[in-house]
């Protein structure tokens, strides 16, 4: 699946003023992350387990 075929979602904390924003797209085995202001730039992808650990870390400080 190419980056263009992914369903991207903007962070719920993103503003409408052109602030710093990220978008994520969930695939079968990975989560893709990119800059919503410049979607042509390369983003990155992590495994779903790694993404879950990242979110747990954020939730628990």
């Amino acid at each position: 699946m190419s980056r263009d075929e992914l369903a991207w979602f903007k962070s719920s904390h993103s503003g409408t003023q052109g602030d710093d924003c990220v978008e994520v797209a969930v695939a079968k085995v990975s989560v893709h992350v990119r800059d919503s202001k410049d979607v042509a730039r390369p983003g990155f992808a992590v495994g779903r387990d790694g993404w879950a650990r990242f979110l747990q870390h954020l939730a628990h400080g």
Side-chain angles (χ1 to χ4, degrees):
M1 179 177 284
S2 76
R3 284 177 28 137
D4 295 332
E5 296 172 310
L6 295 168
W8 293 93
F9 298 91
K10 191 178 283 192
S11 167
S12 60
H13 295 282
S14 297
T16 58
Q17 306 298 324
D19 306 60
D20 295 333
C21 306
V22 297
E23 292 179 318
V24 297
V26 179
K28 277 188 176 185
V29 297
S30 58
V31 176
H32 300 257
V33 182
R34 70 180 181 184
D35 181 347
S36 65
K37 296 178 308 307
D38 190 357
V39 298
R41 291 183 65 177
F44 64 91
V46 297
R48 291 176 69 128
D49 290 341
W51 184 253
R53 286 191 302 273
F54 172 69
L55 294 178
Q56 287 175 348
H57 178 74
L58 290 179
H60 298 296

